[in-house]
Amino acid sequence: MMRRRDLFSPRELRVLASLHGGGPGFYALMGVLVGVALWGLIAYGVQLRYGLGVTGLRDNVMWGVYITNFVFFIGVSHVGALMSAILRLTGAEWRRPITRMAEAITFASLLMGGLMPLVDMGRPDRLLNLVLHGRLQSPILWDILSITTYLTGSTLFLYVPMIPDIALLRDRFAAGPAWRRRLYTALALGWRGTEVQRRHLEAAMGILAVLIIPIAVSVHTVVSWIMAMTLRAGWNSTIFGPYFVSGALFSGAAAVVTAMAAFRWAYRLEEYITEDHFRRMGYLVIALGLIYAYFTFNEYWVPAFKMASHERGYLAAVLSGPFARLFWFTQVGGLLLPVLLLTLPRASLVPRLARVPLLQPRPALAAAAASGVLAIAAYAPPSPVAATLDAGVLRAVAAGTLAVASLWVLVALLPLCRARPIATATVASVLVNVGAWWKRYVIIVPTLQSPFLPIQRAPQGWGVYTPTWVEWSITFGAVAGFLLIYIVFSKLFPIVSLWETRETEQGGEVAHALAR
Amino acid sequence: MRLTRRSFLTSLAAVAAALSGSRAVAPLARWRRGVKGAVPALVARPEGVHSLAHLEAVPAGGGVALAFAAKPPRAEPAAASGRRWVMVIDLARCDGCRECTRACQAMHFLPGGQEWIRVYEMRDHELGAPYWLPRPCMQCDNPPCVKVCPVSATWKREDGIVMQDTSRCIGCRFCMAACPYQARSFNWVDPEVPGMPDEPYAMEWNRVHRRGTTEKCIFCPALLAEGRLPACAAACPMGAIYFGDQGEDAVTNSQGETVRLSELVAANAGYRLLEELGTEPRVYYLPPRRPLYPPPPPATEPASAGEARR
Ligand code: SF4
Ligand code: SF4
């Protein structure tokens, strides 16, 4: 039986339309993503053929980009199910249009995150040993157990609330392509929207929402224990569990914001995902960012105060040595700036800023350019200024000028940010995720480069880690794979829950009205 | 009863359930038995994975509880019980010639880049004298590497040796991350060693290497079984490496000097590397006091610098 069109509101029709094909842009994007993913597969083939020697990993730094990806993807996976569970349990109504896209992030990034240790294995052909000879006392086994539990749990958590919508699709595509019909018929589990079915669905959703929270927390805790269970400087920490969980929540919440913006734009969901959603999610990102900042501060300040001998090398490398630029980028670009971008534009004095002459775009940009030139001049060795001044003073002056200029530009941009809150939130959340990836890298690599015994007699190129094209290809392939899974999901199932958003609209009107 | 497909499947399921039930109960029973007397530990046994058991036969040497030992994955001929192998390295005698490293590499046909006993140039602090520090695997009694291995590819034997089975290792490199002594090496590429014997893998000789697995010093148990010193100890021209049995309280070096372990260590203020980490190493060092041979050049960085030097 075909649905009568007028059963759906215009915005629902738009969501349903997103399930059908796509424009040339869509196919171009899919083509690029498939290409990148295939390239990653080829790179993995090379690694399988020639061994892990094709990576930059060596005896001293034996973990690198793959483990970074692992921690990153598992982190991103975090918020989907966890946030959605908390919002469901607390009855936050505004959650309804975004829970599904959040939960689907969990699903897609868990799949990619779970692949990464496999890619990192020296002997993937012996994977079965983990089952045949698995030792429960190894944190790797804990990881396997908790990640598979989380994958099962979060898949159910994504699927169960989707059943009424799938039943709707089953009826709607009754005359559609056979594969769709079969898929929806199988997945709808005979949903008719009866009173009993509704009760069971709600009970299942409630139970899952409660169960998923401790599982999600456990997942990132044991991921952090892969590092924290060793004695190494920088990893030997008791707060790694909560530190990683908070970092995961922060990056995951930012990923949800990015996804909201992308789907809102691509599927024209402006009526579902409003500015209000970005504001509320922004608050969440700010709060989680502050918690993460607190743990990060603890994690570096406590050892830096004590400067224990075996931690010195590591701290110096991170705070002022070869990793300093990356580290401070993750702190300023990946934490401070996004939080500022989400908070400052809301200040009531921002509209007045636009009237200050010095904060007009032109003087601000001129100031930034001038300070950039100054910084370059100061760093370039043969400059006449450099000859007259002490290099240290010069560098301090250049850095100071640069900082002031960037602050200036930031303040000058605030009115613009206020006018375009969604774009601002998106920029902030992308920054958070780029910063999050590099932060994982800065947690893993410097520690391995600063072992207890000095790195000596390492063959040429073994002392310092530089990722190779194979590692980057696989990394980008994994990101492409994540996006592919996510996009395909959004083409198979409505990315916004139709029955849950309708429920609020019509005061208790529910799915079976749609699906019967 | 006629055997239909359905009844066949039902009985199959019943048998499977019964089997898994007994498998779930057996470790618990073992655990209960193990609680009294011996040190309980979570171990993987050859007959059952994920099992809880206790270490009946392991003597707690030096008051150290082997709470994290894993059982050997298969029967080993020479895991001679009653032995507790120890090594003593006299830093005052070491002149940094690296004969030990070369002997080890020759004995085990080590692929390029691997040094199972590595001679470090050390200097503990600004005023400290530079000295040479040969570092084998410490065969820790509280081994961080064994604790983290997910498949029992590395485990603690009763004679104190931390064994390594490259036919089981999955190459996760967690043990390398966990070892504080950098004592483990990985085969990043297909090992190509001239003269590598074309023999089946024998764990105690460890002369055949394969890509994607982790390896390390194992105190040459194959030589011990023949009553010989490990390759490095036998090769040291200075007699700096003593080796022996803690139970006998005697250690011997390449010069044929046999001395009391306890007296040697006590009289020379012997110490163990990174003692503060609690890994309980089975290798003792005698401090480089009044070295007999020239030390490394004094430009050596302090021990914590962690800089690459080639
Ligand atoms: S020195 Fe390292 S490899 Fe050897 S037993 Fe100790 S932790 Fe394991
Ligand atoms: S690399 Fe091999 S020996 Fe080391 S922890 Fe992994 S499986 Fe065990």
Side-chain angles (χ1 to χ4, degrees), chain B residues 8 11-12 19 28 31 37 51 53 63 82 87 97 153 171 186 201 227-228 230 234 237 253 282 286 296 307 309:
Chain B
F8 173 71
S11 38
L12 204 65
L19 279 181
L28 284 181
W31 169 256
S51 55
M87 186 178 272
C97 68
F186 192 73
Y201 172 61
R228 292 157 65 188
N253 68 2
R282 298 200 66 74
L286 307 183
E307 262 304 304
R309 191 196 325 278

Side-chain angles (χ1 to χ4, degrees), chain A residues 89-338:
Chain A
L89 288 175
T90 50
E93 288 303 320
W94 61 273
R95 69 159 204 273
R96 290 173 184 273
I98 60 168
T99 45
R100 186 166 300 158
M101 55 182 79
E103 288 157 17
I105 289 187
T106 299
F107 177 72
S109 71
L110 261 185
L111 284 184
M112 285 301 134
L115 271 187
M116 281 300 140
L118 187 68
V119 172
D120 189 66
M121 270 170 73
R123 299 297 300 232
D125 53 316
R126 295 184 183 163
L127 186 65
L128 217 56
N129 278 8
L130 285 168
V131 182
L132 299 176
H133 309 292
R135 280 176 79 235
L136 260 187
Q137 53 278 62
S138 165
I140 290 193
L141 264 282
W142 310 342
D143 266 22
I144 294 174
L145 289 179
S146 70
I147 290 175
T148 45
T149 314
Y150 189 46
L151 184 60
T152 321
S154 60
T155 311
L156 281 177
F157 191 55
L158 170 68
Y159 169 59
V160 169
M162 216 155 62
I163 292 175
D165 278 357
I166 296 176
L168 161 74
L169 295 176
R170 173 194 62 196
D171 300 344
R172 190 175 160 76
F173 281 96
W179 64 269
R180 280 215 191 230
R181 212 169 54 229
R182 287 204 204 102
L183 177 76
Y184 296 140
T185 312
L187 288 180
L189 299 180
W191 175 266
R192 292 276 157 233
T194 62
E195 203 42 47
V196 179
Q197 286 183 332
R198 270 210 58 199
R199 261 209 322 278
H200 286 170
L201 180 78
E202 262 159 31
M205 278 165 60
I207 293 171
L208 281 172
V210 173
L211 282 183
I212 206 81
I213 293 174
I215 299 176
V217 171
S218 81
V219 170
H220 224 61
T221 307
V222 294
V223 164
S224 81
W225 285 352
I226 290 275
M227 279 147 259
M229 290 299 177
T230 69
L231 294 157
R232 288 183 183 254
W235 290 358
N236 186 359
S237 155
T238 55
I239 64 163
F240 250 41
Y243 173 41
F244 272 48
V245 170
S246 69
L249 291 175
F250 180 47
S251 68
V256 172
V257 174
T258 316
M260 277 160 50
F263 282 124
R264 181 180 197 265
W265 173 76
Y267 295 162
R268 276 173 283 130
L269 302 177
E270 289 85 358
E271 284 164 58
Y272 280 104
I273 300 165
T274 59
E275 236 178 79
D276 189 49
H277 287 102
F278 285 91
R279 185 173 55 83
R280 287 175 191 271
M281 280 305 293
Y283 291 158
L284 203 61
V285 173
I286 295 166
L288 294 170
L290 292 182
I291 297 174
Y292 184 47
Y294 164 74
F295 277 112
T296 309
F297 180 68
N298 252 285
E299 190 51 36
Y300 289 93
W301 170 238
V302 171
F305 184 86
K306 295 181 282 194
M307 276 292 164
S309 58
H310 67 279
E311 294 193 316
R312 252 175 247 165
Y314 148 77
L315 284 169
V318 170
L319 299 179
S320 59
F323 294 94
R325 255 175 241 177
L326 276 181
F327 174 77
W328 291 111
F329 163 70
T330 66
Q331 294 312 294
V332 176
L335 187 52
L336 181 67
L337 186 61

